[in-house]
Amino acid sequence: MIQSTSLKFKESSSVFKKILVANRGEIAVRIVRACSEMGIKSVAIYTDADRRALHVKKADEAYSLGSDPVAGYLNAHHIVNIATAAGCDALHPGYGFLSENPELAEICAKRGIAFIGPSGAVIRKMGDKIQARIAMTEAGIPCTPGSDGNLESLDEAIALAKKIGYPVMLKATNGGGGRGIRRCDSENDLLNNYERVISEASKAFGKPEVFLEKCIVKPRHIEVQILADSQGDAIHLFERDCSIQRRNQKLIEIAPSPQLSTTQREYIGNLAVKAAKAVGYRNAGTVEFLLDADNRFYFMEMNTRLQVEHTITESITGVDIVQEQIRIASGLPLRYKQSEISYRGFAMEFRINAEDPKNDFLPSFGKITRYYSPGGPGVRMDAAIYTGYVIPPYYDSMCAKLTVWALDWERVIERGKRALNDIEVYGIKTTIPYYQEIMNHPEFRAGTFDTSFVESHPELTNYAVELPPELIAAAISAAIAAHHGI
Ligand code: ADP
Ligand code: ADP
Ligand code: MG
């Protein structure tokens, strides 16, 4: 934890005056909050579908991107034009959308707007998983055995898979968000999946390149948060365990990992800093690793942006990562030395998705008839919803994040259960009851789980559906009326 007893206010004059938030949803609200605490004006952007979105209400100013629900958020030139016209001196890309698009960073640089993230060149290099693997191998960071270039043909894939041994992972070189990844257990699987992954990659990322790497069986997903400044200094803020995933997408994240020893924690933290320094990284970033059953770490990818689950790292270290991103982008050196960073307790984040776990996690958009935010000790809510808000169907289904903190593992689970019970979201289906089941699961409670946990436990969706109080009242009235023959 960061300890500070200083009562002095300083340096606010040297950071930005106005920041354009090039995103929507909870992350846009999160960035607006950071700006507000730093005395910086914030500018939101929105498409017609987002006219009533929370980020538009929370920012100091808001500008329309037009009628297409998505295209506006992906139009880098138009967004930078808005930033310039509104008098912004910086732009925060959030996650998703253009956050890992090197062109946005380059356009900003050309137009004299500070991009709150790394340089376009570093985004380009690390966004390409092959380039990243090459850079990491050169830096002495262990990578999963696999391709040293994009696959040119199915024959090449078959030959390489034979060499590294099945199972293998076929992955989109420019992938993200858990898409464009398929496990192949045999040559037959590879034959069936090769064209499929290429087509998924072309559709989702606009680039058909794919590569192969060894599939690590039942791994833990361990990632390290790093911060690096323009002076070349870099530190880590410890790790997060993101092994609770469904279809390669994270559901619950934990910091620090309950599955690492102090020695492993120190090793992986230092390795991530070495990785960041090797590529001349600047700003906040995450180095993702897989940890195999024999406790070996393998570099998987680097995310050159703020991550969804940054909140748990903030909870255990006390560092406000978004504010640090802003300071770094303004040219200030890191505020903390590695020796000043420590962590306390455990934090857990739940991605509250508008989905129905009982129906194969089908998106469940629509009107929030009632929303009540949880509170009490150790509870943080980052939400993009409010009572009466209609969740539009065009975007990611994550509509809120619940982050809880407590001094030890047992209590963070109990706090999670209590806070999940506290929240009220009516009108749509969410992943909240599903997470309650996970909190009660002995394997999870024991703190030993890997990325196969969710798929190995299909029974987690067997919970009883809780009806909203008004429906229960209506059902009771109907039963009484029927009994009396009314
Ligand atoms: P995190 O890495 O922060 O845990 P996710 O992988 O869940 O985040 O991605 C966060 C959001 O960004 C999701 O909406 C996801 O679909 C989107 N996203 C991530 N990477 C990409 C990408 N390369 N292209 C398009 N969208 C992406
Ligand atoms: P994305 O860019 O979509 O986040 P990642 O490369 O980070 O893709 O992989 C997402 C998830 O897929 C990982 O967290 C892990 O669960 C699984 N995965 C990816 N590569 C492997 C692998 N080689 N072996 C086992 N699991 C993997
Ligand atoms: Mg990843």
Side-chain angles (χ1 to χ4, degrees), residues 252 346-350 352 374-375 377-380 402-406 408-423 432 435-440 444-445:
I252 297 175
F346 280 97
M348 203 182 284
E349 183 221 59
F350 303 87
I352 298 176
V379 175
R380 164 178 175 175
L402 164 66
T403 306
V404 294
W405 176 89
D408 56 46
W409 176 241
E410 216 168 283
R411 278 184 281 180
V412 83
I413 294 177
E414 291 312 313
R415 186 155 280 165
K417 281 171 64 174
R418 190 266 293 167
L420 288 166
N421 197 34
D422 241 13
I423 311 177
I432 295 170
Y435 295 150
Q436 286 286 20
E437 296 298 299
I438 295 182
M439 291 302 104
N440 287 323
F444 180 79
R445 297 176 73 91

Side-chain angles (χ1 to χ4, degrees), residues 95-97 99-100 127 174-179 204-205 221 223 240 242 248-250 253 286 288 301 303 305-310 351 395-398:
Y95 57 68
F97 293 118
S99 61
E100 290 177 279
N174 297 280
R179 286 168 302 160
F205 313 112
H221 172 122
E223 59 180 39
R240 300 183 280 254
C242 311
N248 307 319
Q249 289 174 348
K250 301 161 186 168
E253 300 99 334
T286 298
E288 295 190 335
E301 66 154 344
N303 290 321
R305 55 172 165 86
L306 181 65
Q307 209 122 353
V308 173
E309 59 275 20
H310 73 280
R351 296 190 185 201
Y395 313 104
D396 201 87
S397 60
M398 194 185 78

